[in-house]
Amino acid sequence: MPRYLTLVHIDEQNLPAEAPDPGFDQRMGELFEEITRAGVMQETAGLAPTAEGTRLTWSGGKVGYTDGPFTESKEVVGGYSITRCADKAEALEWAKRFLEVHPASWQVSVEVREIAEG
């Protein structure tokens, strides 16, 4: 079965001011429990803010280093998951369910890409 990388995109400059509703953690926990029981979830994590990161670039035969935050980036990767799904349709369904757990007032997007193996 193919593996898929789901990148969770957020706008670090406009994070929600309000905390999620009281049931958010429970809904997310239930979804993660379900996806793990189904044998789909391989790995997942949130990422530290870009202020704690460093970007390396290759240009003109030299490596350049830029410390965060990366204010020129509107959207950044705030988390990821690796899933093993029967097909892309299944990977998209899990990603859709992940988004639906979030409060309606939040802006979150995900990008689902198959991992090229072998």
Side-chain angles (χ1 to χ4, degrees):
M1 280 201 304
R3 293 187 312 149
Y4 293 87
L5 173 65
T6 301
L7 300 169
V8 180
H9 295 272
I10 60 170
D11 180 351
E12 272 190 333
Q13 308 304 313
N14 294 305
L15 292 174
E18 74 280 356
D21 61 273
F24 174 76
D25 288 337
Q26 180 179 343
R27 291 190 312 273
M28 190 63 75
E30 289 170 354
L31 177 64
F32 281 1
E33 186 176 313
E34 181 181 353
I35 195 171
T36 300
R37 266 196 328 266
V40 172
M41 182 64 72
Q42 304 282 290
E43 180 178 333
T44 188
L47 300 176
T50 62
E52 299 174 24
T54 302
R55 182 175 290 160
L56 283 73
T57 55
W58 177 254
S59 179
K62 296 182 180 180
V63 175
Y65 296 84
T66 304
D67 290 330
F70 309 119
T71 55
E72 72 280 1
S73 302
K74 180 169 172 48
E75 286 189 338
V76 298
V77 177
Y80 73 95
S81 70
I82 297 175
T83 56
R84 185 172 299 281
C85 300
D87 53 28
K88 186 175 182 181
E90 181 185 4
L92 292 173
E93 179 62 25
W94 285 114
K96 174 181 160 265
R97 291 184 58 197
F98 169 79
L99 287 175
E100 291 173 339
V101 167
H102 291 79
S105 62
W106 287 22
Q107 284 219 217
V108 181
S109 64
V110 296
E111 177 181 346
V112 177
R113 297 176 57 186
E114 185 172 347
I115 297 172
E117 313 242 27

